[in-house]
Amino acid sequence: MRKEKIRETDFDASRELPSNRRSQFFDLFKHRFLDLFKLTLLLDLFILPLFAVYLLFSILISGSDPTLTYTLYFYMSLAFIPCVWILYVGLGGIVEPLKQMIWGEGESNPSLFFKGIKRNIKASLIGGFIESISIFGVMFGTIYLLTHAPESKNNWIMGVGIGLLVAQAIIITMITFFLVMQNTTFENTVFGMLRNSFIFSLARLPINLLFIIIFPGVSVALFIIPTVVTPYIGIALTLLFNGIGLLIWALNSISLFDIYINENQNPDYYHKGLAKETKED
């Protein structure tokens, strides 16, 4: 008969819990990888419509007359709007079990995912609407500048225009994620959460930009590279590792909440899931 190993000492939270959010990521990656993968597969259901639209229009654009390319890109950008809404409904679902995982509460089972959808549906739809308009702007605006700016001598306008479009898309992505993450953590008005999200986005901008590059930046870059294979690599990376990417963002969010909200206003949430005696880095 197999003998179970019995703990020789009592559980000591100060010794066995991670001391900061950075080390907590590796702890969760090591011990909750299967739970993360299950959440990844659930979110995939809400990402697939976006990729389906992308693949459909990619086929249409590759086999179309060059004069129709501009029109097809416009309709692809338009078709992305409801797909982004669907994606953000799924985002509202995954942040709830991620929060519980970080706080060390409950199990990351499908019921928590669907509880998150119900709890965060309003913030998800508002965030999805804002994000979808932002993505429409960067996609359609970029193709417009690429097809019309070369006709003039002011090509610097094209570069500045595309840069501004990309910059607003990055900031909006940060704001909308912080919006949904706040909604699953606190009770507040949508306006209040949007205001806080804007502050969070700028308060630690270099770190937020680093996380944007990690996820979803790498995948998005693979779609931009003009080869046949790289978009499929981007799709595979997103479908397989979105849970890990969003765990990074959830940990970053809760770290910001600890600094700007929890320490003074919600002490019960401050450093929740971490060793109490150790200050976070």
Side-chain angles (χ1 to χ4, degrees):
M1 181 179 295
R2 180 176 177 269
K3 295 183 178 180
E4 295 186 3
K5 186 177 179 180
I6 300 175
R7 181 189 289 269
E8 296 178 358
T9 59
D10 293 335
F11 175 79
D12 184 353
S14 65
R15 187 178 69 250
E16 300 190 36
L17 287 176
S19 60
N20 54 57
R21 301 298 178 192
R22 183 171 57 251
S23 59
Q24 189 177 31
F25 168 78
F26 295 103
D27 182 73
L28 292 172
F29 183 83
K30 179 180 179 181
H31 296 104
R32 304 294 296 275
F33 182 82
L34 183 58
D35 289 330
L36 282 170
F37 188 68
K38 290 177 182 178
L39 293 175
T40 297
L41 295 179
L42 281 171
L43 187 59
D44 285 347
L45 299 175
F46 297 84
I47 299 175
L48 286 174
L50 189 67
F51 287 154
V53 168
Y54 170 81
L55 292 173
L56 173 62
F57 275 92
S58 295
I59 294 171
L60 293 174
I61 291 169
S62 63
S64 69
D65 187 288
T67 58
L68 296 176
T69 300
Y70 177 78
T71 302
L72 288 171
Y73 269 111
F74 170 77
Y75 284 114
M76 180 170 72
S77 304
L78 207 60
F80 271 7
I81 291 177
C83 295
V84 172
W85 283 357
I86 294 170
L87 168 59
Y88 266 68
V89 170
L91 178 64
I94 197 172
V95 294
E96 179 67 22
L98 286 177
K99 178 195 70 177
Q100 299 284 3
M101 191 183 296
I102 292 167
W103 282 356
E105 295 181 345
E107 296 294 330
S108 299
N109 52 45
S111 64
L112 272 179
F113 184 94
F114 294 106
K115 176 185 176 182
I117 289 177
K118 182 179 180 181
R119 174 173 181 170
N120 299 314
I121 189 64
K122 182 179 179 180
S124 297
L125 292 176
I126 292 173
F129 173 75
I130 296 171
E131 179 74 4
S132 65
I133 298 303
S134 172
I135 291 176
F136 175 83
V138 74
M139 290 182 62
F140 180 64
T142 299
I143 194 64
Y144 178 85
L145 289 170
L146 288 173
T147 54
H148 289 77
E151 298 175 1
S152 69
K153 296 181 180 180
N154 298 321
N155 287 338
W156 64 270
I157 296 177
M158 177 179 68
V160 172
I162 293 174
L164 290 174
L165 287 168
V166 172
Q168 66 82 23
I170 290 172
I171 296 297
I172 291 297
T173 300
M174 295 177 189
I175 290 172
T176 52
F177 181 81
F178 287 135
L179 168 67
V180 179
M181 194 67 197
Q182 277 185 91
N183 194 80
T184 205
T185 310
F186 307 111
E187 296 290 336
N188 198 354
T189 64
V190 172
F191 177 79
M193 289 188 291
L194 283 171
R195 180 194 58 206
N196 291 342
S197 297
F198 180 75
I199 294 170
F200 295 149
S201 299
L202 298 183
R204 205 152 59 171
L205 186 60
I207 294 176
N208 290 335
L209 288 174
L210 174 62
F211 291 151
I212 278 282
I213 292 171
I214 295 172
F215 183 82
V218 172
S219 296
V220 172
L222 289 169
F223 284 93
I224 298 172
I225 298 173
T227 67
V228 176
V229 177
T230 50
Y232 294 97
I233 298 175
I235 290 173
L237 288 176
T238 303
L239 294 178
L240 291 174
F241 300 109
N242 64 72
I244 295 172
L246 289 172
L247 174 62
I248 293 172
W249 271 102
L251 285 164
N252 180 49
S253 301
I254 289 179
S255 177
L256 284 166
F257 298 165
D258 282 344
I259 295 170
Y260 292 100
I261 299 176
N262 294 336
E263 185 171 13
N264 296 319
Q265 300 179 36
N266 297 293
D268 290 342
Y269 293 168
Y270 184 64
H271 286 179
K272 194 170 183 178
L274 300 178
K276 298 298 183 183
E277 288 79 7
T278 305
K279 290 286 185 182
E280 187 176 7
D281 295 342

